Amino acid sequence: MFNWVWDLLYGISKSIFSIIDNLLSCANMLCGIEPVKYQNTEMDFMTFLIRNKNIYFGFVAAAIIGVILVFIFAVFAVIRSMNSEKDNMTPGQIAVKVGKTLLTFIFIPAALVVLIYLTNILMRSLYQATLGGSPDGLGRFLAGAFGQNARHSGVSETFYLSDKFDYRSTGSMKDYVNLSDYDFFFSWIAGIAILLALASSLLMFVDRAISIVILFIIAPISMSTAVLDEGQRFKLWRDQFLVKFLTGYGCIIGINIYALVIAAITSNDLVFFESNTLNNVMKIAIIVGGGVSMNRLMALIGNLISQGAGSNELRDNAIATAQARGAISRGFGAALMPFKATRSAINFAKDSKQYGFGSTLGQRMGFNTARSYGKMSAVQKAQTRENLVESEKYKRSLSNPDKNGSRNNIKGAIEGPINNGGGGNNGGAGAGSNINPGGKGNANNNIGNKMVEMNVLNKSLDNKKDNK
C-alpha cells in the first residue's frame, strides 16, 4: 500500500546521485582525468589549451620578450660581476647560464605536455582505485553503498558492479534491495555534502585551467631573471604551477575517498554506542564533518608541495567563491528589475490616489511632506467623514426603536387596565348589587396615571425626533 512512498524517497536519492555523477564528469574533464574530443581526437583539457594556436602564439610572443630580457639581464650581470668583489661569477659562467635559459624556453611546451600526460595517467589510475570498483562514476557506488543493509537474501555485496544494475531505475534497484530498509537519510546527508563540495570546487577547476594557461605564457619572462637571481623567480613560478596543477586532482580524489569512508561507517555492523540514537548521531557527525572539510583537501595537497601554498590557495578560492555568489545575486537582481519597476509603478499610482500626487512624489524622493507629520489628505478626510456618518447611523439604529411599535405598546398598556376595570364593575352590577363608586374612582385614577405616562412617552419620542 505504501510502496509509492519508498519509490518517492528513492527518487530523491537517485536524483542526488545522478547530479553528483554529472558534476564529477565536468570536474574530471576540467582536471584531465576524462578526455575531451577536439577534431575527433581525444586529449585532456589542459593539453588542448596548451596546443591551441592562439595560446601558443601568446607563449611565442612572451618567449621573444624573454630572450630580449635575458640579454639585458646578462649585460647587468656582467657589469655587476666586474664591479663587485663578492660576485664570483665570470662572464663565461654568465654566458653558460644565458644558453641554458634560452634552451629552456624551447623545451617548455614539450616539457609541460609530457608532465601533464604522465600526471594524468597516474591520477586516472588513482581515481579509478578510489571509486570503490564502480566502472562509470561515484553515483553507482553510493547507490549500492547505502543499500547494503537492505539487500535481498542471496544478493552479493557488490551487486552494484553488475552490468544489469542501473541505479537510475527504481525497478532495477528493487531487484536487489528492499527499499523500505534503504538508508535514505544517510544518503541524503552524504549526497548533499558531496554536492556542495563539488559546486564550490567547479569554480576552482575553471580558475585552475586559466591560471595554468597564464603561467604557461609568462614562463619565459619568469625564467629570464635566472641570470641575476640564481633562478629564484623561476622557483616561484614552478611552485605556483605545481600547486595549481595538483590541487585539482587532490580535490577530486579526496571526494572519492570521502565516499569510501561514509560507505564504511554507514554499515550496521559498525557500532559506536549501544543506543541506536547515539550511534546514528555519531555517524551523521562524521558524514557532515567530512563534507565540510573536503574543501580543505586542496590546502593539504598544496602545503605538501610548498609551505603555505595550499592555505593561500584555499583562501583565494574562498574569496573567488564569495565574489561569484555576489555576481549571481546581482544577476538575479537585474533579471527581476522589470518586475520590480512594474510593482513600483503600480504602488505609486495607488499611493497617489490615496495621498495625492505631490505627497507621494515627495515621499519617494526622500522629502518630508504633510503626510510625514500626520496630516491627512483630502481622500483620507472624506473616508473619515463617511466612516463617522456610518458609525452614527448605526448607533441611532440601536438606541431608537420603531415608533409605531412604541405607540402600540403604550396604547395596549392603557387599554388593558381600563377594560379590566370596566369588566369588574359591570360584573359587580350584573350580580344584582349597586355599582361601587369606589371601583369607578380607582378606574379613573388608573386612566389618569396611564395618560400621564403616555404624555411623557410622547414627549420623549418628539424630543428624539427633533434631535434627529
Side-chain angles (χ1 to χ4, degrees), residues 57-71 102 105 220-221:
F57 177 77
F59 172 79
V60 172
I64 295 174
I65 296 174
V67 170
I68 297 174
L69 292 176
V70 165
F71 285 106
L102 294 178
F105 289 173
I221 298 176

Side-chain angles (χ1 to χ4, degrees), residues 195-252:
L195 283 178
L196 294 176
L198 282 173
S200 61
S201 298
L202 281 177
L203 178 64
M204 182 196 70
F205 297 144
V206 175
D207 172 75
R208 168 183 177 267
I210 298 175
S211 299
I212 289 176
V213 171
I214 294 174
L215 290 172
F216 168 68
I217 292 176
I218 67 171
I221 298 176
S222 296
M223 294 179 184
S224 63
T225 61
V227 179
L228 291 176
D229 59 7
E230 298 294 332
Q232 294 298 321
R233 296 292 181 275
F234 176 68
K235 290 180 181 179
L236 292 176
W237 177 90
R238 181 191 61 193
D239 292 342
Q240 287 288 330
F241 183 85
L242 291 176
V243 168
K244 289 288 185 181
F245 186 66
L246 296 178
T247 51
Y249 294 110
C251 188
I252 293 295

Side-chain angles (χ1 to χ4, degrees), residues 7 9 26 32 74 145 169 175 244 265 327 344 348 353 369 393 451 463:
D7 294 347
L9 296 179
C26 297
S169 172
D175 294 337
K244 289 288 185 181
I265 67 170
S344 179
F348 183 84
K353 184 178 179 181
T369 60
K393 287 182 179 179
M451 289 297 295
N463 292 334

Side-chain angles (χ1 to χ4, degrees), residues 267-436:
S267 174
N268 286 339
D269 297 332
L270 178 63
V271 178
F272 291 101
F273 301 97
E274 294 299 329
S275 172
N276 289 332
T277 302
L278 291 177
N279 198 49
N280 290 332
V281 168
M282 186 66 180
K283 293 181 179 181
I284 292 172
I286 295 175
I287 293 173
V288 174
V292 172
S293 64
M294 271 195 294
N295 286 333
R296 301 178 184 176
L297 295 176
M298 61 179 181
L300 177 64
I301 301 299
N303 289 333
L304 293 176
I305 300 171
S306 178
Q307 184 177 3
S311 299
N312 295 334
E313 186 73 13
L314 180 63
R315 183 182 63 252
D316 294 341
N317 183 56
I319 295 174
T321 303
Q323 292 176 347
R325 290 174 181 172
I328 293 174
S329 177
R330 290 191 294 272
F332 278 113
L336 295 176
M337 282 299 293
F339 302 98
K340 292 181 179 179
T342 303
R343 182 186 63 186
S344 179
I346 294 174
N347 291 337
F348 183 84
K350 291 181 178 179
D351 290 345
S352 299
K353 184 178 179 181
Q354 182 72 16
Y355 304 111
F357 177 80
S359 178
T360 304
L361 181 62
Q363 287 284 336
R364 294 297 177 89
M365 295 181 67
F367 295 104
N368 288 334
T369 60
R371 176 186 170 189
S372 303
Y373 301 104
K375 185 177 179 180
M376 292 189 297
S377 63
V379 176
Q380 290 177 302
K381 291 179 180 179
Q383 291 176 348
T384 303
R385 285 194 296 269
E386 291 178 359
N387 291 334
L388 291 174
V389 170
E390 293 295 330
S391 177
E392 188 64 24
K393 287 182 179 179
Y394 179 73
K395 291 180 180 179
R396 289 176 180 176
S397 66
L398 294 178
S399 60
N400 297 336
D402 182 53
K403 293 180 181 179
N404 295 327
S406 299
R407 294 181 184 277
N408 291 333
N409 291 334
I410 295 170
K411 182 178 179 182
I414 295 172
E415 292 178 350
I418 295 175
N419 292 331
N420 291 335
N425 295 330
N426 293 333
S433 60
N434 295 329
I435 297 175
N436 186 2

Side-chain angles (χ1 to χ4, degrees), residues 79-91:
I79 295 174
R80 186 180 62 180
S81 64
M82 293 174 60
N83 295 330
S84 176
E85 297 179 356
K86 295 182 181 180
D87 196 344
N88 296 325
M89 290 184 62
T90 63

